[in-house]
Amino acid sequence: MGEPATKEPLSLEELQASGNLRTGRKHVLSILVENKSGVLTRIAGLFARRGFNIDTLTVGPTDDERISRVTLTVDGALHPIDQVTKQLHKLINVLKIRDLEPADTVSRELALFKISADGPQRGELMQITEIFRGKVVDVTKRSIIVEVTGTTEKIEAFESMVRPFGLIEMMRTGEIAIARGRGET
Amino acid sequence: MRAVDAVMECLKAEGVDVVFGLPGGANLPTYDAFVDGGIRHILVRHEAGGGHAAQGYAKATGKVGVAFATSGPGATNLITPICDAMMDSVPVVFITGQVRTELLGTDGFQEADTIGITMPIVKHSFMIQNPLEIPRAIHEAFHIARSGRPGPVLVDIPQDLSRADIPYEPVSDVRLPGYQPTLEGNQKQIRQAAKALASAQRPVIYAGGGVVNANASEELIEFARSDRFPVTTTLMGLGAYPAQVDGTADPQWLGMLGMHGTRAANYAMDEADLICAVGARFDDRVTGKLSEFAPRAKFIHIDVDPAEISKNVPAHIPIVGDAKHVLAKLVVEYRALSADPARLAQWWERIEGWREKYPLGYEDSADSEIKPQYMVQALYEATGGQAIVTSDVGQHQMWAAQYYDFPAPRRWINSGGLGTMGFGLPAAMGAAVGCPDQLVCCIAGDGSVQMNAQELATCAQEQIPIKVFIMNNGYLGMVRQWQELFWDGRYSHVDTGKFPDWVKLAEAYGATGMRFEDKGTLVEDMKRAIATDGPVVVDVKVTREENTYPMIPAGQAAREMVG
Ligand SMILES: Cc1ncc(C[n+]2csc(CCOP(=O)(O)OP(=O)(O)O)c2C)c(N)n1
Ligand SMILES: [Mg+2]
């Protein structure tokens, strides 16, 4: 493609269109927002209105009390990801958006599993929990509650392992993510 | 001072000279402040009229319009103007009253979740939670409304907070860390665009309302004439490039594009190899069937809103920036390349061919009957082409766009994105208040005008001298046309009959009423109406069943134009 700095005219055939990128992968967007009332509604409403689906969403404080961080995941196969981020940028209270590269990101989720555990299965359950570095946080005669932290994949793997024992209830926080290395997310 | 008095000070500091509104319980304190506030307030008869008037004011003057309403029904009556301002990027600040904070969330009398209801249709909104925030919120509202891509901003103030005693200090700095519109445009991209233009054989400039909003008409003209670039504009961009210069058609002007645009404009888009879009958003009324839109073209897309770029049509050279800045730089870059204008000779031959073969036209009546197209031409003649013209929505709107050759920007004021019937009359009222030295005419539809006819009382009381020309076909004409063309002529609820009697209604409202039915005297009659003091309403009887042509049927390609 003709370098912008030369006087050569630019042949039109060479031009590539930009935009409307469907990446086909999951995206983790880390969004810094002003901690003001209604911000989350604005973000959620924007997604709904433009036909984008949010897969997971977490909100929490940052080290600056005026600023909160929203971490959300969307499926880049279903949505042109640049449209999502451009529309988000237009919200006045949104300060910064980062589309985190999976390879350069540490992401974690916390999940609580309530599993029925009456009788001989209990031991086996304990073993699985151990392997996943889970923690038993509550025990009754007929059930246990296990806490597991890790990537989404790990949590889903644990879920499929314990499901046959009788999964009574499961709760997940949704992902939070932080960029690797010294730079800020 | 009381927070409401601070609101008045804020408005004055923002240069506001007029507010359109209507009081109620939740904004009683605000209205008390108007008594000594030193700001002109125009009492409208319906909040929607006030909202559209603020839009008309903003579009005609380029300044921020302001509309006030009370809580609940007052605020919900503003929904249509707010949405309209969002769709057409009109800078308006809406200030609504809200119930007392202790009643919030209790379904209190006249409580509506105004912030929630309007969230999808505002550029931004402020829910006041502490009276100390009020001055800053108002100033930030004005800043957001007028900068970047303009739009509506709403400030909702609970009644008790508006009565609070607060210290007022003028706020000169706005602190919006998350809002910094890009205005300048990337120089490399601009250079890239210039080079693409220099090698294009079949270029077209496609300009939209963004050029008007950015006050970039001069820059557009200079850019277009830096070579022989053909120019078309959207409905919202009309006037940004002059259709006529001193009575002769501008040679580079192709006319409006889109559903009811000219064949020359639409065919040129269809065959172009490079389209330079400026402040336009590739609306479906422009593109028709997206997959067949301008299939041979590469796109330069200049817009201040990055989210518009590549939203509908992927851009090859995206340039985020204000049209005024970017076009000024583009001209310089383009001139430096000294492209050979002769390369466009063939392209112009092709375009001239279409222009000759398919001029805009209609079959005139054989008798005294007024054809609707002629009505617009007659108004052009009676006004010397120099009026600010507002319109409602329907056939008359399209004919006004086609036949009133707008010579300058901010002369054509209509509802494009939302297509709001009843927009024209109150918008004319607002434009006339903003531009008291200019003639303001409304080309109204007989169906549409009823939707805000109550504002005639406002015009009569305030002596706002708008001239309303109702194109009376006795039909919801545009819907009738679609039923005729696409629904086998099965007319369903489109006949508006012969009521009301517009002359009587005008007189009842305190305006002058007239009725014209003869094309032979129409221009002279119109001049008489224009020369009449105060607001005038003219019932112009036109051909009942005339269709707006040419037309690209919805969802089809430009090649499919009919009529
Ligand atoms: C508020 C609103 N309701 C309905 C419509 C749908 N609509 C579009 S054009 C039109 C007909 C308008 O009739 P009129 O004002 O007489 O204009 P004409 O087409 O006859 O010139 C209608 C009903 C609309 N645009 N706005
Ligand atoms: Mg009609």
Side-chain angles (χ1 to χ4, degrees):
Chain A
M1 191 143 88
E3 269 303 296
T6 67
K7 225 188 147 194
E8 287 288 288
L10 184 63
S11 107
L12 299 184
E13 288 71 47
E14 287 175 312
L15 286 173
Q16 290 284 327
S18 67
N20 266 324
L21 209 62
R22 273 172 218 265
T23 57
R25 66 168 170 89
K26 184 181 91 170
H27 285 257
V28 180
L29 302 181
S30 185
I31 309 167
L32 284 179
V33 299
E34 287 182 276
N35 184 8
K36 292 197 168 157
S37 80
V39 176
L40 191 58
T41 322
R42 285 179 210 272
I43 293 176
L46 185 149
F47 274 80
R49 229 165 27 247
R50 302 257 169 196
F52 302 129
N53 246 332
I54 301 174
D55 289 331
T56 72
L57 172 79
T58 65
V59 190
T62 63
D63 47 26
D64 182 340
E65 63 179 359
R66 292 164 304 174
I67 294 173
S68 308
R69 183 178 300 279
V70 177
T71 308
L72 59 80
T73 59
V74 285
D75 188 342
L78 300 175
H79 313 296
I81 204 73
D82 54 334
Q83 256 302 309
V84 180
T85 51
K86 283 174 179 175
Q87 294 294 349
L88 278 173
H89 263 300
K90 282 172 69 170
L91 297 176
I92 308 287
N93 303 127
V94 168
L95 301 173
K96 188 178 159 195
I97 302 171
R98 244 184 98 171
D99 182 0
L100 294 167
E101 277 293 328
D104 301 332
T105 308
V106 177
S107 60
R108 289 291 179 271
E109 195 175 346
L110 185 145
L112 297 172
F113 295 87
K114 189 181 286 179
I115 311 155
S116 66
D118 30 6
Q121 297 176 330
R122 209 175 262 260
E124 202 182 328
L125 254 181
M126 293 299 195
Q127 269 181 357
I128 296 171
T129 303
E130 191 112 313
I131 293 166
F132 279 82
R133 292 184 211 283
K135 249 194 289 182
V136 176
V137 290
D138 184 62
V139 185
T140 67
K141 272 200 185 122
R142 302 185 48 209
S143 68
I144 62 170
I145 298 176
V146 178
E147 172 192 318
V148 182
T149 330
T151 61
T152 299
E153 293 73 33
K154 175 176 161 186
I155 285 166
E156 280 166 4
F158 184 78
E159 181 196 339
S160 67
M161 292 300 290
V162 299
R163 205 169 259 293
F165 294 85
L167 184 57
I168 300 165
E169 208 169 32
M170 171 182 80
M171 294 193 190
R172 293 168 57 171
T173 57
E175 266 181 296
I176 54 167
I178 195 161
R180 289 184 193 276
R182 178 76 172 75
E184 278 181 33
T185 303
Chain B
M1 64 174 75
R2 291 179 306 177
V4 288
D5 299 313
V7 170
M8 297 296 138
E9 294 310 312
C10 294
L11 295 183
K12 281 186 274 187
E14 291 292 343
V16 173
D17 51 19
V18 65
V19 169
F20 300 90
L22 197 149
N27 64 2
L28 268 172
T30 313
Y31 273 78
D32 185 68
F34 271 119
V35 175
D36 302 314
I39 288 183
R40 181 176 182 200
H41 177 275
I42 291 179
L43 173 65
V44 295
R45 301 306 192 265
H46 187 298
E47 289 85 352
H52 293 314
Q55 287 185 278
Y57 172 93
K59 288 192 184 212
T61 63
K63 297 196 281 184
V64 180
V66 185
F68 276 52
T70 189
S71 66
T76 56
N77 274 348
L78 281 178
I79 299 303
T80 304
I82 294 172
C83 192
D84 196 288
M86 185 69 173
M87 292 289 271
D88 285 349
S89 309
V90 191
V92 180
V93 170
F94 295 90
I95 300 184
T96 48
Q98 184 51 276
V99 297
R100 299 193 307 276
T101 43
E102 69 193 45
L103 287 175
L104 277 174
T106 67
D107 303 316
F109 177 63
Q110 294 197 324
E111 179 182 7
D113 176 7
T114 306
I115 292 286
I117 295 170
T118 57
M119 204 167 270
I121 53 171
V122 292
K123 184 172 175 187
H124 193 55
S125 52
F126 294 88
M127 173 79 218
I128 301 298
Q129 290 170 315
N130 176 339
L132 296 173
E133 297 166 0
I134 291 176
R136 178 162 291 282
I138 304 262
H139 287 298
E140 288 178 351
F142 275 85
H143 176 70
I144 293 168
R146 72 161 74 91
S147 57
R149 177 180 183 173
V153 182
L154 183 131
V155 185
D156 199 32
I157 311 180
Q159 202 254 21
D160 51 336
L161 304 189
S162 73
R163 285 179 334 210
D165 190 19
I166 63 168
Y168 171 70
E169 266 176 57
V171 179
S172 51
D173 63 316
V174 285
R175 282 185 238 129
L176 295 164
Y179 178 70
Q180 272 129 8
T182 306
L183 301 180
E184 291 298 328
N186 179 301
Q187 192 67 40
K188 268 192 180 169
Q189 292 290 95
I190 293 173
R191 194 165 301 155
Q192 192 86 334
K195 294 171 78 176
L197 285 158
S199 69
Q201 304 295 312
R202 299 185 308 280
V204 177
I205 299 174
Y206 150 49
V211 175
V212 179
N213 281 341
N215 296 315
S217 175
E218 268 176 47
E219 287 77 6
L220 175 70
I221 294 167
E222 198 184 339
F223 167 50
R225 293 181 188 161
S226 68
D227 203 329
R228 287 208 300 151
F229 292 127
V231 186
T232 179
T233 75
T234 65
L235 178 70
M236 303 311 294
L238 289 175
Y241 190 87
Q244 287 192 16
V245 184
D246 304 325
T248 42
D250 181 281
Q252 284 168 244
W253 172 242
L254 306 185
M256 176 174 80
L257 85 169
M259 183 174 274
H260 293 293
T262 63
R263 274 196 162 75
N266 285 321
Y267 288 0
M269 294 291 279
D270 184 58
E271 292 195 5
D273 64 352
L274 182 68
I275 289 172
C276 181
V278 195
R281 60 184 178 86
F282 295 86
D283 179 73
D284 56 272
R285 285 296 190 260
V286 160
T287 62
K289 190 174 186 178
L290 205 53
S291 59
E292 289 176 35
F293 172 66
R296 299 154 190 86
K298 305 281 193 227
F299 295 92
I300 300 167
H301 194 170
I302 302 166
D303 206 293
V304 74
D305 178 0
E308 280 306 335
I309 292 175
S310 297
K311 183 181 79 179
N312 296 339
V313 173
H316 299 80
I317 305 180
I319 302 175
V320 178
D322 179 81
K324 197 175 181 72
H325 293 268
V326 175
L327 288 175
K329 291 181 188 168
L330 186 54
V331 175
V332 175
E333 292 291 342
Y334 186 73
R335 289 219 170 102
L337 296 173
S338 349
D340 179 11
R343 77 186 189 290
L344 303 180
Q346 256 190 331
W347 182 222
W348 273 110
E349 239 170 72
R350 187 114 180 97
I351 293 173
E352 295 295 358
W354 293 320
R355 278 213 278 224
E356 260 163 52
K357 194 158 170 210
Y358 310 108
L360 269 183
Y362 60 96
E363 202 178 310
D364 202 0
S365 60
D367 51 13
S368 65
E369 185 176 75
I370 301 169
K371 284 278 180 164
Q373 300 91 331
Y374 177 69
M375 173 181 159
V376 178
Q377 290 177 315
L379 186 67
Y380 184 89
E381 212 178 314
T383 57
Q386 294 302 317
I388 292 176
V389 177
T390 73
S391 92
D392 285 314
V393 169
Q395 293 182 309
H396 63 282
Q397 175 191 28
M398 293 300 124
W399 283 315
Q402 290 176 336
Y403 288 95
Y404 199 101
D405 283 339
F406 292 95
R410 302 199 180 280
R411 297 282 183 80
W412 166 238
I413 296 174
N414 82 135
S415 165
L418 195 63
T420 305
M421 288 171 70
F423 174 87
L425 192 152
M429 177 169 92
V433 169
C435 304
D437 302 330
Q438 278 177 271
L439 169 62
V440 181
C441 298
C442 171
I443 297 180
D446 57 299
S448 300
V449 73
Q450 296 246 49
M451 293 197 182
N452 275 311
Q454 78 285 343
E455 298 312 326
L456 283 172
T458 312
C459 291
Q461 183 162 338
E462 300 273 340
Q463 278 303 299
I464 303 168
I466 60 170
K467 313 300 172 198
V468 182
F469 295 91
I470 301 172
M471 185 180 283
N472 192 348
N473 52 14
Y475 274 119
L476 299 173
M478 188 57 94
V479 181
R480 185 206 58 72
Q481 174 170 343
W482 283 52
Q483 289 177 350
E484 179 192 325
L485 297 180
F486 311 118
W487 296 83
D488 299 331
R490 286 155 55 88
Y491 287 177
S492 176
H493 303 277
V494 288
D495 191 336
T496 48
K498 54 185 201 299
F499 302 114
D501 178 328
W502 286 104
V503 175
K504 283 189 188 156
L505 191 76
E507 283 166 5
Y509 271 124
T512 305
M514 300 182 180
R515 179 169 294 120
F516 303 156
E517 308 183 57
D518 182 351
K519 83 174 179 203
T521 57
L522 186 59
V523 173
E524 288 314 307
D525 288 337
M526 282 179 158
K527 284 185 180 164
R528 184 160 50 83
I530 290 164
T532 304
D533 284 342
V536 178
V537 177
V538 185
D539 177 9
V540 185
K541 298 275 193 223
V542 300
T543 311
R544 289 208 70 199
E545 301 199 11
E546 181 83 9
N547 287 340
T548 309
Y549 288 126
M551 174 175 199
I552 306 174
Q556 299 201 24
R559 282 276 148 212
E560 272 24 273
M561 276 208 109
V562 295

